[in-house]
Each structure stands twice: as structure tokens, then as C-alpha cells.
Amino acid sequence: MGLLQLLKSQFLCHLIICYVFLVSGLIINLLQLCTLPVWLVSKQLARRINIRLAYCISSQMVAILEWWSGTECTLYTDPKSYPLYGKENAIVVLNHAFEIDFLCGWTFCERFGVLGSSKVLAKKQLAYVPIIGWMWYFLEIVFCKRKWEEDRRTVNESLEKLRDYPENFWFLLYCEGTRFTPKKHQVSMQVAESKGLSKLKYHLLPRTKGFWVTVQSLRGTAAAVYDSTLNFRNNEMPTLLGLLNGKKYHADLYVRRIPLELIPEDEKECAEWLHKLYQEKDSFQEHYAKTGRFPGPIMSPPRRPWSLINWLFWSCLLLYPLGLLLTQLISSGSVFTIVASVAVCSAAADLTPQIFTGSSLDDWPD
Ligand SMILES: CC/C=C\C/C=C\C/C=C\C/C=C\C/C=C\C/C=C\CCC(=O)SCCNC(=O)CCNC(=O)[C@H](O)C(C)(C)COP(=O)(O)OP(=O)(O)OC[C@H]1O[C@@H](n2cnc3c(N)ncnc32)[C@H](O)[C@@H]1OP(=O)(O)O
Ligand SMILES: CCCCCCCCCCCCCCCC(=O)OC[C@@H](O)COP(=O)(O)O
């Protein structure tokens, strides 16, 4: 293990990264709160400010993936579609099997310049997660309760509001509705069987209602669906904790641009279309399992320096006062204060792995 790799695996480094993320995140949440009066004067200005503030939070996580862990993200896509990415609104359909799939999504958003404005159909519980959830509130993220009777109206209303959004955005939809596990897959395939639908090997049966309402609500706003299929080389199962430890992964993303006009308007036909899409996604994963690559040419966008610059900015801003505090603490010579500080650090040590395991967020009660 090299010296740099050893440093990246040190708990103190993780503690510092978490400290910068947490404190800067709370400061940014507070700044977002301060934009509330701006909404009354100019909604578009408030939106633009919030896009930039949100970038300051999400790009820190992207920096961990791109710069700290050095994870490589390869894009397989049609060269004719490539120039349109980041230049139009789009609905992204992504498989949901990895703890860091959302982060790989964010990384591509960053490389195509739509990170601050990127959106998702997220479960309502995530709205209450400090920093990320609170940030989403100001970004007009669409939340669902996974109760169709309620979601039908609320999801439609939230999406309609995005019609006059001032900057290009990608709207992410995990049609599978939950992260893939063998157990969920088994149940899901029983549902497929009972409905007379073809089985899938690498995906759960897609939930079609959210997709249909999204496509219908964003007609005239989004230009296309980006059908995106993600996998990792060498059967890796990457984790947030792995990234924090500086482990380098290799993500491969296959994206097909499908113009929105090609998607049926009728609910039943749209559902059939989505089931067919997931059959195709399954075949791409099969191709990947056999050959170690997706079909089509590679058009990888390079990483940009902005996520690193933002991260260094917040680190410099927040580590200086921390350094001063620690110096004062040690020079105070108070045993009680020193013991209390060590206790706080130990508590943080216990919490860090929990923060970094996606499962703690997945397991929140519905
Ligand atoms: C160039 C680069 C391109 C791309 C880059 C990639 C990405 C970047 C883009 C953007 C990034 C932005 C942000 C990312 C950041 C963070 C994301 C993090 C987290 C979010 C993750 C989540 O929260 S996922 C959970 C929430 N989302 C969803 O659930 C979406 C999918 N669900 C739906 O659409 C649902 O339909 C619904 C939620 C709208 C409503 O749910 P409900 O359950 O009420 O209704 P359903 O119709 O779905 O269910 C009833 C029917 O389902 C049948 N059923 C029962 N059991 C099952 C089963 N196990 N599997 C399948 N189906 C089942 C049941 O029989 C009912 O059937 P009917 O025939 O009666 O309809
Ligand atoms: C730079 C320092 C980074 C600090 C780390 C903070 C970590 C915060 C991560 C918040 C990201 C939110 C995304 C979580 C993904 C998620 O939670 O998906 C839920 C779905 O599967 C559905 O779950 P389920 O209820 O199981 O069906």
C-alpha cells in the first residue's frame, strides 16, 4: 500500500471529510433558508441561487468519488446523442442495484453541467434527512409516498411546476422503486409471473405508474428519456465507505437517448413500453456479464476541476477555525474539556460507518 493510499484509509481523514461536509452542509442549508424571501420577489432568481448552493453540497460527494477515490466513470453512448447531453431537459431511467449508483449519476450530471439542478423521484422519508434532504426541498425535488392514490396528484403537480425551470435538468427515476436484492428479486418475479410478464434476471419488475405520470407531466418540458444502465467492472459492489477509504472503482454506464415523442401516451401502452425497455436493459447487463463491456462506442466526458475546487474551498474555510479551536483546547489544559472532546470524536467514529452505509437510509420505516 502506497503512502497516499495509507493516508486515505486513516480514520482522522474520514473525520475531517465528514466534519467539512456536515458543517458546510448546514451552512448551505441555512443560506437556502435565507433565499425564501427572494422567492417572493423573483422565483427564477431564487431557483438559480439554490442551484448553485445545492452544487456546493452535492459536488463534495462527487469530489470524493472523482478526486479522493479516483473512481473512473466510462460512458457508452451514441456519438450523435452525446452533444445533446446537458443541453436539454431529460428523464433518466437508471437501474438501482448499487449503494453508490446515485453518486455515479451525480458524477455524470457534474460532467455535463447539470449537477446543481438535477432532480429525482425520491421516497418522502429522504426529505427529512439533514443536509441532502433539506437541500432537496429548495431544489423542488419530487417526493412520493409510494401510495399511488396520493402520488398520482402530488407527483403530477410537482412536475408541472418544473415547466418554467430556468436551467436544464435531468430528472432521475428508479423505476424499480427500491434497490435490488436477491430476496426482492424473487418476490418481484413472482409478481411478474402472476401478471404473465416476462422475467428479468438483473432487474426488479419496473413500477410503471411513476414513469407514465412523469412522461405525461414533462411532455413539452423534457426532450428525451435517457435509458441508463450502470454496472461495475470485476463484479465490484462499491460502497460509500469504500470510496471514503480511497478505493478506486470502475463504473460503466450505457446511455440510450430516446426522444419523448416515441413513448406512448396511453397508460397501458406506456407500461408495456417500459416492460419492454427493462427486457432490453436486462439483455445489456447479460452482454456486460459475458463481455465485460456494454455495446456501442465509448464517449467518456472528462472530470472537471470544479468539484475539487469547491471541496478545497470549504475545507480551507472550515479547517482553519477547527485548528484554532483545537489549539485553544490543548493549551487550556482542562482535563474535563479534553475528555469531553475525545468522547464527541468517539461518538462521531461510531456514527461515520452508519452515515456511509446506504442501508441506514434504505431501512428507514415507510
Ligand atoms: C448521460 C448521462 C445519463 C445519465 C446519468 C444518470 C443519472 C443522473 C440523473 C440525475 C441524478 C439526480 C439525483 C440523484 C440523487 C439521489 C437519488 C437518491 C435516492 C432516491 C431513491 C429513491 O427514493 S427510490 C424510491 C422512490 N421512487 C420510486 O418508487 C419510483 C418508482 N415507483 C413508482 O413509479 C410507483 O409507481 C409510485 C411510487 C409512483 C407509486 O407506487 P405504488 O406502490 O403506490 O404503486 P405501483 O403501481 O408502483 O404498485 C402497485 C402495483 O405494483 C404491483 N406490485 C406489487 N408488488 C410488486 C413488486 N414487488 N414488484 C413489482 N410490482 C409489484 C401491484 O400488483 C400493483 O400492480 P397493478 O397492476 O395493480 O398496477
Ligand atoms: C463528502 C462527505 C459525504 C458524507 C456522506 C453523507 C451521506 C449521505 C447520502 C445521502 C444520499 C441519499 C440517497 C440515498 C439512496 C436511497 O436511500 O435510496 C432509497 C431507495 O433505495 C429505496 O429504498 P427502500 O425504502 O429500501 O425501498
Side-chain angles (χ1 to χ4, degrees), residues 98-119:
F98 306 98
E99 192 177 300
I100 65 161
D101 47 28
F102 78 94
L103 193 46
C104 291
W106 265 353
T107 302
F108 282 102
C109 289
E110 151 57 20
R111 294 184 187 192
F112 287 103
V114 290
L115 179 59
S117 55
S118 68
K119 320 228 169 288

Side-chain angles (χ1 to χ4, degrees), residues 105 119 121-123 146-148 174 177 195 207 209-210:
K119 320 228 169 288
L121 177 56
K123 58 178 182 178
R146 298 193 272 197
K147 291 186 186 123
W148 178 237
Y174 287 117
K195 289 186 170 180
R207 306 296 186 125
K209 290 192 171 82

Side-chain angles (χ1 to χ4, degrees), residues 80-109:
K80 282 202 214 101
S81 304
Y82 188 86
L84 296 169
Y85 298 156
K87 309 268 184 332
E88 60 185 7
N89 296 332
I91 300 165
V92 177
V93 170
L94 183 64
N95 55 314
H96 196 15
F98 306 98
E99 192 177 300
I100 65 161
D101 47 28
F102 78 94
L103 193 46
C104 291
W106 265 353
T107 302
F108 282 102
C109 289

Side-chain angles (χ1 to χ4, degrees), residues 54-263:
Y55 180 88
C56 291
I57 295 182
S58 32
S59 74
Q60 285 187 49
M61 294 192 65
V62 170
I64 296 289
L65 184 136
E66 290 190 318
W67 295 96
W68 180 259
S69 84
T71 291
E72 277 175 22
C73 296
T74 303
L75 179 65
Y76 293 75
T77 199
D78 168 20
K80 282 202 214 101
S81 304
Y82 188 86
L84 296 169
Y85 298 156
K87 309 268 184 332
E88 60 185 7
N89 296 332
I91 300 165
V92 177
V93 170
L94 183 64
N95 55 314
H96 196 15
F98 306 98
E99 192 177 300
I100 65 161
D101 47 28
F102 78 94
L103 193 46
C104 291
W106 265 353
T107 302
F108 282 102
C109 289
E110 151 57 20
R111 294 184 187 192
F112 287 103
V114 290
L115 179 59
S117 55
S118 68
K119 320 228 169 288
V120 60
L121 177 56
K123 58 178 182 178
K124 183 75 189 159
Q125 294 86 342
L126 292 175
Y128 308 112
V129 175
I131 302 174
I132 301 268
W134 299 346
M135 161 187 101
W136 278 351
Y137 175 79
F138 293 95
L139 267 191
E140 298 165 84
I141 291 294
V142 182
F143 293 103
C144 64
K145 289 190 177 166
R146 298 193 272 197
K147 291 186 186 123
W148 178 237
E149 317 77 58
E150 289 179 52
D151 291 339
R152 182 190 189 110
R153 188 180 55 80
T154 54
V155 172
N156 171 259
E157 279 174 6
S158 309
L159 288 168
E160 291 281 339
K161 286 188 190 137
L162 299 179
R163 285 197 170 276
D164 64 344
Y165 206 69
E167 297 194 11
N168 290 327
F169 64 86
W170 290 352
F171 183 81
L172 173 64
L173 197 54
Y174 287 117
C175 292
E176 293 161 89
T178 188
R179 193 174 288 133
F180 186 100
T181 64
K183 181 89 186 55
K184 288 180 198 167
H185 181 245
Q186 200 186 1
V187 174
S188 169
M189 289 308 104
Q190 282 165 3
V191 176
E193 201 170 6
S194 71
K195 289 186 170 180
L197 294 164
S198 305
K199 292 203 176 168
L200 297 162
K201 188 171 167 190
Y202 300 95
H203 299 87
L204 304 177
L205 191 65
R207 306 296 186 125
T208 58
K209 290 192 171 82
F211 178 73
W212 174 70
V213 79
T214 302
V215 168
Q216 288 304 93
S217 309
L218 291 182
R219 264 186 212 280
T221 305
V225 165
Y226 294 170
D227 168 35
S228 308
T229 310
L230 177 73
N231 212 329
F232 288 84
R233 299 216 185 135
N234 314 316
N235 295 317
E236 284 163 337
M237 284 306 273
T239 61
L240 282 171
L241 203 54
L243 290 180
L244 195 62
N245 273 301
K247 185 164 173 16
K248 177 178 177 161
Y249 301 105
H250 294 83
D252 286 317
L253 184 74
Y254 178 40
V255 179
R256 293 186 302 165
R257 182 184 180 278
I258 304 167
L260 216 68
E261 307 86 75
L262 299 185
I263 300 164

